[in-house]
Amino acid sequence: MKKSLLLTTTMLAVGLASAAPAFAQDTARPASAQAADANILPDVIVTAQRREERLQDVSIAATSLSAQALVEKAVTRLSDLQFAAPSLSVSEGGLVQSVNIRGIGIASGSPSVANGVATYVDGVFQPPIVQTNSFFDIASVEVLRGPQGTLVGSNSTGGAIFINSERPKLAGVSGYAGATYGNYDAMEAQGAINLPVANDLAIRLAGQLRRRDSYYQDVGPAHNDAGRLNEKAVRLGVLWKPGNFEALLKTEVLDLNTGGFAYRPVLGTGLAAGRVGDIRTLSYNAPTSQHETGFINSAELRYEFANGVTLRSVSGYQDKESRLLIDNDATAIADVRTDQNVQERQASQEFNLISPTDGRFDWILGTYYQRNRINVRLHQVNGGFPLDVLQNQTKVTTGLFAQGNYQLTDTLEVQLGVRYSHFKLSGDGAVAIGAGIPGFPAAGLVVADLAGRHSDSRPTGKLALNWKFDDNNLIYAFAARGYKPGGFNSTVSAFRPETVWNYEIGWKSTLADGHVRTQLDAFWNDYHGFQFGLVDVTSGQNGVANLPTATIKGVEAQIQLKFGGFSADGSVAYVDSHLPGFVTVNTVPLPSGALGPQCPTGTPSNPPTCFNYVPFTGQAGGGPNLLSPKWTYNLGAQYQFQLANGVTFTPRLNYAYVGEQFTNLFYSPVTDRIRAHGLLSALATLDFGQWQLEAYGRNLTDKQYVLGQGGNNEFYGAPREYGLRARVAF
């Protein structure tokens, strides 16, 4: 079976129009050379290893999408990347998204849990809240699969995503403006202007406005407008480049208002009887709203010494906040409502020394510091009885790392990377019930103490052999270790770090005189201390525990091709995961609302003072990892027709498939499964040179599909969307 699967995937990689969509321009070659090569695939340049490198020369399984590729693949925000990159799934779960690569990521709303897929914007690590904003003025997006334990460090056991916005340019005034109108009264305005102020100074101002009516109708007594979109964002970039010194400063402000989460109870759960109508009909009896704000700042400084060595500094500060009103049960039957506020402030600093690459040996040295302050305030009312959660946490992450590449021969290179990371977590907080109720203390009765301290350290890194036996082929093999820190759930409940060893082989090839590119890789992951989300019975809140050894293995293939006006791209991935069996609480049959900690032996359940979880405890695991589809693939093809007066017309079709996923380790086919779904999108572009007119359509077959679960509720993907977009560049 494995040999057959590998052969099938190899044939697909070499013979089909499928793969890592991403035609980022090669900034290392002059424009005249690129124009001469317009009939072949342009080089894809990635920067995730702190240098500009051709993707085909890097021993990393990665997908890179340029700004144009994002448009072509209908990628407007982080969650859309799962339809453009293999082995990637993004599940909606409410306050945070579960971003998983090769079955590893984040699947818990606990602030103690670190990301398993590290996301960076302009070199600055992003906390998991406020990641739902749409992309604007983007230069490229890079998706790196597998643990990135050397240069990224902790929190990248699944992989890393780098989102790079456009830089100011010193060469002349330029920019663009665009407007979009579509169904659901969707309107968007986006643009940027680049202004050189002096020979060595330029600024770039970019922004966007987006609004859309809700896909849903709330027929309940609350008459909410959950799911509507009102989004604003602006980014200012400043580039100063005198001589060998360069300073790039960026400030970004984000504001997102959706009117609240839109979801319904999962069929087969206790409140499923409260579902009315089809999936676009809600029935809430509590007000809902969602208001997210973000303030992101980054400063990248570079100085190149006379010997070619570059000193690089990346500083970041951000303040993100999410304010929510939630109808927890999503029905008019029960009355469980939450008022929640989450704020996370982060400061980070990275220093690098980067050698030139003109000798047999090149290297990178670095240090890293990050401090996060998280504040959670939650007030929940269940049938008139209040519960309050207050939690404050401080996380400090530090790291030292080095990576070197040495040419053993003209064709064989060895790469060694090492990193040592240290993590420290401290916090306080409590769960209290009955505030303001006669017979309870004025501030409520404390039923769980959420205070605690934790620290851990781990070495990570990578050892690789890269054989580039000619200019068009790279074969690589490596072993890499990743690490995600541990933490605590409460004063009496903690969890250990998670580590993974990834063993991988790959082949990247350029064929047909530059008209075809392929990438193929196979991997095997050995996980220890695998972290997963559950109910922490010591507090009754979301918590984390560790599993024994788990395994994940699979193969991935990508291809891009271009012949004249025809081009195509796509990818396919097969991921096979297995988690060991263990005993835990099944959350699906639990009553809704706050239940409280485990009752002492002999004490009957009395939520939310305490609850007896024993009858709901059973054997779980023994199957695939959560939110890990076995199969994912995407295909895209287009043809550029040459019309009169230099005008071109380019129609394009995309199809993306995400296999079925489980959301609960009890693997119920009724309540714990997200069914597989495939989406069809299209784009037709008239290009007049400076002007472009586009007609777009997403989910053209109007597929009804589940995009994720949170608690016993399920979130849905967008219905059919279509519209027109006009753009002018100058």
Side-chain angles (χ1 to χ4, degrees):
M1 173 62 185
K2 293 180 180 178
K3 291 182 178 179
S4 174
L5 175 63
L6 182 59
L7 177 61
T8 302
T9 308
T10 304
M11 293 175 64
L12 177 65
V14 176
L16 293 179
S18 45
F23 308 145
Q25 293 300 310
D26 180 358
T27 57
R29 294 187 299 165
S32 58
Q34 294 222 23
D37 296 342
N39 194 41
I40 66 174
L41 291 167
D43 285 332
V44 178
I45 303 300
V46 294
T47 59
Q49 295 197 126
R50 312 299 189 265
R51 295 186 176 99
E52 289 190 349
E53 301 172 290
R54 294 176 66 247
L55 179 58
Q56 293 296 96
D57 296 335
V58 179
S59 57
I60 297 177
T63 298
S64 176
L65 296 103
S66 66
Q68 182 60 32
L70 292 171
V71 174
E72 292 172 352
K73 302 293 285 185
V75 176
T76 61
R77 60 186 69 241
L78 185 68
S79 59
D80 294 333
L81 286 174
Q82 64 185 316
F83 305 123
S87 299
L88 172 65
S89 66
V90 183
S91 174
E92 295 291 346
L95 179 61
V96 297
Q97 295 175 318
S98 289
V99 182
N100 292 266
I101 297 177
R102 296 176 175 175
I104 304 301
I106 181 173
S108 172
S110 169
S112 299
V113 184
N115 303 55
V117 175
T119 301
Y120 288 78
V121 173
D122 293 323
V124 177
F125 177 82
Q126 299 299 297
I129 67 170
V130 194
Q131 288 190 355
T132 56
N133 295 79
S134 57
F135 298 148
F136 72 102
D137 202 37
I138 297 297
S140 67
V141 176
E142 302 169 15
V143 180
L144 281 57
R145 301 187 294 277
Q148 308 296 315
T150 302
L151 299 179
V152 176
S154 60
N155 308 329
S156 63
T157 47
I161 298 174
F162 289 84
I163 302 169
N164 306 306
S165 65
E166 287 283 3
R167 294 162 50 98
K169 299 176 177 63
L170 298 174
V173 176
S174 61
Y176 68 92
T180 301
Y181 184 77
N183 61 332
Y184 294 96
D185 202 22
M187 292 181 283
E188 176 185 351
Q190 186 180 127
I193 184 168
N194 188 93
L195 296 172
V197 179
N199 292 335
D200 57 2
L201 181 65
I203 63 173
R204 185 180 185 90
L205 182 65
Q208 73 165 356
L209 299 170
R210 289 169 61 94
R211 69 160 310 278
R212 171 186 44 75
D213 291 343
S214 176
Y215 305 133
Y216 307 89
Q217 181 183 9
D218 183 4
V219 298
H223 297 295
N224 294 290
D225 200 11
R228 68 172 169 79
L229 177 66
N230 189 347
E231 181 180 4
K232 301 179 284 291
V234 63
R235 182 188 302 119
L236 174 66
V238 179
L239 174 65
W240 183 42
K241 194 173 182 180
N244 292 339
F245 176 74
E246 176 182 292
L248 177 61
L249 313 177
K250 291 184 179 179
T251 294
E252 184 173 344
V253 179
L254 310 170
D255 187 283
L256 175 70
N257 194 326
T258 69
F261 299 134
Y263 50 64
R264 307 199 317 157
V266 177
L267 282 175
T269 59
L271 289 172
R275 292 167 52 127
V276 296
D278 61 14
I279 70 167
R280 304 298 172 194
T281 304
L282 309 176
S283 182
Y284 291 167
N285 61 356
T288 64
S289 66
Q290 177 192 18
H291 188 199
E292 297 182 348
T293 57
F295 180 50
I296 305 173
N297 303 272
S298 65
E300 181 178 4
L301 311 179
R302 288 177 176 265
Y303 183 81
E304 184 176 338
F305 297 97
N307 61 0
V309 173
T310 298
L311 173 63
R312 174 179 179 262
S313 166
V314 178
S315 307
Y317 175 78
Q318 52 194 314
D319 187 343
K320 294 185 173 183
E321 187 171 7
S322 185
R323 296 176 292 277
L324 308 166
L325 293 178
I326 304 171
D327 185 333
N328 296 69
D329 56 275
T331 72
I333 298 177
D335 185 13
V336 185
R337 58 186 70 192
T338 296
D339 183 346
Q340 184 173 3
N341 189 89
V342 180
Q343 183 179 23
E344 185 159 4
R345 287 158 289 181
Q346 174 184 294
S348 61
Q349 176 63 53
E350 180 173 337
F351 290 109
N352 303 137
L353 272 177
I354 307 171
S355 77
T357 58
D358 52 2
R360 298 186 70 89
F361 178 61
D362 60 78
W363 46 266
I364 299 173
L365 303 175
T367 65
Y368 186 76
Y369 173 85
Q370 178 182 309
R371 184 180 187 274
N372 293 65
R373 179 67 175 171
I374 306 168
N375 303 106
V376 178
R377 300 289 183 271
L378 182 149
H379 176 70
Q380 186 176 104
V381 177
N382 185 354
F385 192 85
L387 173 142
D388 292 277
V389 179
L390 303 179
Q391 196 166 16
N392 306 298
Q393 291 192 347
T394 300
K395 301 179 180 181
V396 177
T397 302
T398 55
L400 295 171
F401 59 92
Q403 179 169 291
N405 306 297
Y406 183 74
Q407 287 291 148
L408 298 172
T409 69
D410 290 341
T411 60
L412 185 63
E413 177 188 69
V414 61
Q415 180 185 86
L416 176 64
V418 293
R419 185 181 186 116
Y420 186 78
S421 300
H422 180 74
F423 175 75
K424 183 170 66 174
L425 168 67
S426 62
D428 57 67
V431 179
I433 61 172
I437 300 294
F440 287 86
L445 174 67
V446 174
V447 294
D449 188 345
L450 303 181
R453 293 181 179 275
H454 173 86
S455 65
D456 58 57
S457 303
R458 291 292 187 277
T460 55
K462 177 180 179 180
L463 176 62
L465 280 176
N466 305 321
W467 182 33
K468 194 170 178 57
F469 57 88
D470 62 32
D471 290 340
N472 296 319
N473 290 276
L474 168 67
I475 294 178
Y476 62 86
F478 66 76
R481 191 185 197 219
Y483 146 73
K484 188 165 76 169
F488 61 85
N489 302 310
S490 66
T491 53
V492 295
S493 175
F495 54 96
R496 304 185 311 276
E498 167 186 296
T499 58
V500 56
W501 275 104
N502 176 39
Y503 304 95
E504 189 165 334
I505 58 173
W507 173 32
K508 298 184 177 183
S509 183
T510 301
L511 309 170
D513 295 325
H515 293 278
V516 179
R517 285 206 194 100
T518 63
Q519 302 90 23
L520 177 67
D521 63 83
F523 59 89
W524 189 83
N525 290 338
D526 182 20
Y527 269 83
H528 295 271
F530 190 95
Q531 297 173 2
F532 74 103
L534 46 56
V535 173
D536 176 23
V537 297
T538 67
S539 66
Q541 302 298 303
N542 290 329
V544 181
N546 298 95
L547 289 182
T549 301
T551 58
I552 300 176
K553 53 187 180 295
V555 291
E556 299 161 336
Q558 306 181 128
I559 187 172
Q560 311 92 39
L561 59 84
K562 181 176 174 62
F563 291 95
F566 177 75
S567 58
D569 55 75
S571 63
V572 61
Y574 173 83
V575 178
D576 180 35
S577 59
H578 180 79
L579 300 181
F582 63 102
V583 176
T584 190
V585 175
N586 187 355
T587 59
V588 172
L590 286 177
S592 63
L595 302 177
Q598 172 66 41
C599 292
T601 303
T603 302
S605 292
N606 183 27
T609 303
C610 74
F611 185 79
N612 183 17
Y613 293 92
V614 174
F616 301 90
T617 301
Q619 184 74 19
N625 192 12
L626 302 185
L627 306 176
S628 178
K630 184 165 288 189
W631 286 99
T632 56
Y633 64 84
N634 65 84
L635 305 166
Q638 65 185 51
Y639 191 89
Q640 186 181 78
F641 294 91
Q642 300 291 333
L643 307 181
N645 301 317
V647 177
T648 63
F649 173 64
T650 307
R652 179 180 176 90
L653 281 175
N654 301 301
Y655 183 78
Y657 174 87
V658 178
E660 74 170 13
Q661 309 165 54
F662 285 97
T663 60
N664 187 305
L665 291 173
F666 285 85
Y667 303 121
S668 166
V670 177
T671 61
D672 305 337
R673 182 177 61 164
I674 297 177
R675 296 182 181 275
H677 52 273
L679 300 180
L680 181 68
S681 67
L683 182 71
T685 305
L686 267 175
D687 193 331
F688 300 90
Q690 285 186 308
W691 283 89
Q692 284 185 334
L693 182 64
E694 296 174 336
Y696 67 89
R698 295 189 285 264
N699 189 10
L700 290 176
T701 60
D702 201 21
K703 176 80 70 176
Q704 295 187 358
Y705 63 100
V706 176
L707 197 56
Q709 290 185 3
N712 285 340
N713 296 312
E714 60 187 16
F715 296 77
Y716 305 103
R720 180 191 295 118
E721 297 177 287
Y722 52 85
L724 291 174
R725 181 185 302 117
R727 189 178 188 274
V728 59
F730 55 89

